[in-house]
Amino acid sequence: MVTQPEPRARAPWQDAHFIGGHPVLDLTNTVFNRAHPAPDNELLKSPSDVLTWCASVGLFARAPALSDDAADGLAAQVRSVREQAWAVFDAVSRGEAVPGPALGALLERSGAGLRAGHVQARVDRLTADWGAPGAIPEALSLLAVRALFTLPAERVRVCGRCGWLFLDSSRGGRRRWCSMSTCGNREKASRHRHGTEPASAAPAGGR
Ligand SMILES: [Zn+2]
């Protein structure tokens, strides 16, 4: 639906925020730590955060100019979609049925965007009138619905340390961490210090 270019993160985002392997999984990872929420856990705080994030995943090349109407509540709406998508793919990662209310909300919001003409679906991509009020959360909802039916469910994983979701595209299918350079190395360091297999991740002080 959207093509996935190499991540070209726009400030304040960094490439390390885009390790999910799919824009919808990256969206679910726009919290600092999913498993052990930090006091300042939120990464999507403002309309500008949303626009730079969307540009970073390649939804659009140039951010649309948003009217006050379109900017109003944008971050909160995208956070709602994010939490619904997280609930769906967290269930997928555990091989469980997806929660009906979360998937239902994603279907309703994407349906509203399609009916209003804000979002257009094609076989291989999605386009939208990005500046229209509601278009961004509507398009993200449709992406999430599409991802549910197209991503290989057995490859959707949860980082054992921070709880971020990712698509394991490694050949052996045994990836355990969002990234070796953050959680993988911290886990190794922690195991080394304690001399044991840690039962659960300690609250991370940083990514
Ligand atoms: Zn992690």
Side-chain angles (χ1 to χ4, degrees), residues 159-164 176-179 182-184 207:
C159 175
R161 193 167 176 91
C162 72
W164 276 16
R176 294 173 61 198
W177 314 111
C178 61
S179 99
T182 54
C183 289
R207 288 218 55 78

mmCIF file of all heavy atoms in Angstrom, residues 159-164 176-179 182-184 207, ligand 1:
data_model
loop_
_atom_site.group_PDB
_atom_site.id
_atom_site.type_symbol
_atom_site.label_atom_id
_atom_site.label_comp_id
_atom_site.label_asym_id
_atom_site.label_seq_id
_atom_site.Cartn_x
_atom_site.Cartn_y
_atom_site.Cartn_z
ATOM 1 N N CYS A 159 9.819 -7.230 21.560
ATOM 2 C CA CYS A 159 11.149 -7.153 22.166
ATOM 3 C C CYS A 159 11.049 -7.613 23.620
ATOM 4 O O CYS A 159 10.207 -7.136 24.382
ATOM 5 C CB CYS A 159 11.694 -5.723 22.104
ATOM 6 S SG CYS A 159 13.282 -5.548 22.970
ATOM 7 N N GLY A 160 11.930 -8.530 23.991
ATOM 8 C CA GLY A 160 11.882 -9.085 25.337
ATOM 9 C C GLY A 160 12.258 -8.103 26.415
ATOM 10 O O GLY A 160 12.110 -8.395 27.605
ATOM 11 N N ARG A 161 12.724 -6.938 26.028
ATOM 12 C CA ARG A 161 13.148 -5.990 27.046
ATOM 13 C C ARG A 161 12.236 -4.764 27.121
ATOM 14 O O ARG A 161 11.743 -4.423 28.183
ATOM 15 C CB ARG A 161 14.589 -5.563 26.784
ATOM 16 C CG ARG A 161 15.215 -4.847 27.941
ATOM 17 C CD ARG A 161 16.713 -4.722 27.783
ATOM 18 N NE ARG A 161 17.247 -3.941 28.876
ATOM 19 C CZ ARG A 161 17.672 -4.443 30.012
ATOM 20 N NH1 ARG A 161 17.637 -5.741 30.203
ATOM 21 N NH2 ARG A 161 18.122 -3.663 30.971
ATOM 22 N N CYS A 162 11.998 -4.114 25.981
ATOM 23 C CA CYS A 162 11.227 -2.853 26.019
ATOM 24 C C CYS A 162 9.784 -3.022 25.551
ATOM 25 O O CYS A 162 8.988 -2.106 25.699
ATOM 26 C CB CYS A 162 11.921 -1.783 25.187
ATOM 27 S SG CYS A 162 11.807 -2.046 23.407
ATOM 28 N N GLY A 163 9.464 -4.178 24.975
ATOM 29 C CA GLY A 163 8.087 -4.396 24.557
ATOM 30 C C GLY A 163 7.724 -3.822 23.202
ATOM 31 O O GLY A 163 6.563 -3.909 22.788
ATOM 32 N N TRP A 164 8.670 -3.241 22.492
ATOM 33 C CA TRP A 164 8.380 -2.766 21.130
ATOM 34 C C TRP A 164 8.082 -3.963 20.239
ATOM 35 O O TRP A 164 8.633 -5.063 20.436
ATOM 36 C CB TRP A 164 9.573 -2.003 20.562
ATOM 37 C CG TRP A 164 9.637 -0.564 20.957
ATOM 38 C CD1 TRP A 164 8.965 0.048 21.965
ATOM 39 C CD2 TRP A 164 10.446 0.439 20.326
ATOM 40 N NE1 TRP A 164 9.308 1.378 22.002
ATOM 41 C CE2 TRP A 164 10.209 1.641 21.014
ATOM 42 C CE3 TRP A 164 11.350 0.435 19.257
ATOM 43 C CZ2 TRP A 164 10.837 2.842 20.660
ATOM 44 C CZ3 TRP A 164 11.976 1.618 18.908
ATOM 45 C CH2 TRP A 164 11.712 2.809 19.605
ATOM 46 N N ARG A 176 15.243 -11.519 18.848
ATOM 47 C CA ARG A 176 14.565 -11.338 20.138
ATOM 48 C C ARG A 176 14.455 -9.882 20.555
ATOM 49 O O ARG A 176 13.701 -9.551 21.469
ATOM 50 C CB ARG A 176 15.329 -12.084 21.236
ATOM 51 C CG ARG A 176 15.303 -13.575 21.054
ATOM 52 C CD ARG A 176 16.213 -14.255 22.057
ATOM 53 N NE ARG A 176 15.802 -13.999 23.431
ATOM 54 C CZ ARG A 176 16.585 -14.170 24.487
ATOM 55 N NH1 ARG A 176 17.844 -14.559 24.315
ATOM 56 N NH2 ARG A 176 16.159 -13.922 25.701
ATOM 57 N N TRP A 177 15.265 -9.030 19.929
ATOM 58 C CA TRP A 177 15.346 -7.655 20.415
ATOM 59 C C TRP A 177 14.935 -6.668 19.338
ATOM 60 O O TRP A 177 15.142 -6.915 18.156
ATOM 61 C CB TRP A 177 16.789 -7.328 20.843
ATOM 62 C CG TRP A 177 17.386 -8.414 21.672
ATOM 63 C CD1 TRP A 177 18.393 -9.266 21.329
ATOM 64 C CD2 TRP A 177 16.980 -8.790 22.989
ATOM 65 N NE1 TRP A 177 18.639 -10.146 22.335
ATOM 66 C CE2 TRP A 177 17.795 -9.883 23.371
ATOM 67 C CE3 TRP A 177 16.021 -8.321 23.879
ATOM 68 C CZ2 TRP A 177 17.658 -10.499 24.615
ATOM 69 C CZ3 TRP A 177 15.896 -8.945 25.107
ATOM 70 C CH2 TRP A 177 16.707 -10.014 25.461
ATOM 71 N N CYS A 178 14.395 -5.532 19.796
ATOM 72 C CA CYS A 178 14.095 -4.471 18.841
ATOM 73 C C CYS A 178 15.375 -4.106 18.110
ATOM 74 O O CYS A 178 15.391 -3.949 16.902
ATOM 75 C CB CYS A 178 13.477 -3.270 19.551
ATOM 76 S SG CYS A 178 14.523 -2.494 20.794
ATOM 77 N N SER A 179 16.469 -3.988 18.860
ATOM 78 C CA SER A 179 17.759 -3.738 18.226
ATOM 79 C C SER A 179 18.853 -4.250 19.137
ATOM 80 O O SER A 179 18.740 -4.197 20.369
ATOM 81 C CB SER A 179 17.944 -2.255 17.909
ATOM 82 O OG SER A 179 18.733 -1.632 18.885
ATOM 83 N N THR A 182 20.583 -1.468 21.369
ATOM 84 C CA THR A 182 19.975 -0.945 22.599
ATOM 85 C C THR A 182 19.629 -2.122 23.508
ATOM 86 O O THR A 182 20.389 -2.483 24.390
ATOM 87 C CB THR A 182 18.739 -0.084 22.298
ATOM 88 O OG1 THR A 182 17.838 -0.833 21.509
ATOM 89 C CG2 THR A 182 19.134 1.197 21.579
ATOM 90 N N CYS A 183 18.488 -2.741 23.272
ATOM 91 C CA CYS A 183 18.025 -3.770 24.208
ATOM 92 C C CYS A 183 18.901 -5.022 24.211
ATOM 93 O O CYS A 183 19.115 -5.613 25.267
ATOM 94 C CB CYS A 183 16.586 -4.116 23.890
ATOM 95 S SG CYS A 183 15.477 -2.772 24.332
ATOM 96 N N GLY A 184 19.389 -5.454 23.058
ATOM 97 C CA GLY A 184 20.196 -6.671 23.022
ATOM 98 C C GLY A 184 21.438 -6.537 23.875
ATOM 99 O O GLY A 184 21.744 -7.405 24.699
ATOM 100 N N ARG A 207 16.634 4.243 25.942
ATOM 101 C CA ARG A 207 16.519 3.237 24.905
ATOM 102 C C ARG A 207 17.860 2.576 24.685
ATOM 103 O O ARG A 207 18.842 3.194 24.667
ATOM 104 C CB ARG A 207 16.034 3.859 23.610
ATOM 105 C CG ARG A 207 14.571 4.245 23.697
ATOM 106 C CD ARG A 207 13.918 3.950 22.382
ATOM 107 N NE ARG A 207 14.137 2.558 22.026
ATOM 108 C CZ ARG A 207 13.455 1.548 22.564
ATOM 109 N NH1 ARG A 207 12.561 1.778 23.454
ATOM 110 N NH2 ARG A 207 13.700 0.314 22.202
HETATM 111 ZN ZN ZN B 1 13.707 -3.313 22.868
#
